[in-house]
Amino acid sequence: MDGSSENPFRLYRNTDTRWIAGVCAGIADYLGVGPGLVRVIAVACLALFFVPTALGYVVLALVLRPRPAALFRDRGEEAFWRGVATDPPETVQALRRKFRDLDERIMRMETLVTSEEFELRRGFRDLGR
């Protein structure tokens, strides 16, 4: 996120891909599924439970805020936060792998910088100045 107070885990109305008010598209974004699936379920619920479904849709259309245009900086950040929401253990494992790789790189740099060869090379380099 770009330092704003917008929460990527919050349920928003998606007005970019909306058909009516963006409630189904927002729910689809939140759950990480296609909006068509949510729309089909909504229509089925309308057929079976018209009043509660219609009332729920209207309430959500009035209560939910529209999704901010800049909720994520790029697709990579959006994929990361979607992974956090849909598969937290895998996201934690990926972060652990990344930090382990960074830690190994730092250890190799520390070994190089603290070695006698590094000091010797720096001494020779400084002689030429």
Side-chain angles (χ1 to χ4, degrees), residues 28-107:
D29 285 345
Y30 184 75
L31 297 176
V33 297
L37 175 65
V38 177
R39 289 177 180 132
V40 166
I41 292 170
V43 169
C45 288
L46 273 172
L48 298 173
F49 313 104
F50 181 79
V51 173
T53 303
L55 184 62
Y57 189 91
V58 170
V59 167
L60 287 174
L62 295 173
V63 171
L64 294 178
R65 293 180 13 203
R67 179 179 174 186
L71 186 60
F72 304 104
R73 282 185 296 223
D74 55 25
R75 291 254 185 228
E77 184 177 359
E78 183 175 1
F80 170 78
W81 286 112
R82 186 162 313 283
V84 168
T86 58
D87 193 5
E90 176 57 35
T91 304
V92 169
Q93 290 299 324
L95 285 173
R96 283 186 180 152
R97 284 190 298 271
K98 185 176 274 191
F99 282 124
R100 191 177 327 116
D101 293 345
L102 288 172
D103 194 40
E104 288 173 4
R105 288 179 62 192
I106 290 171
M107 285 191 307

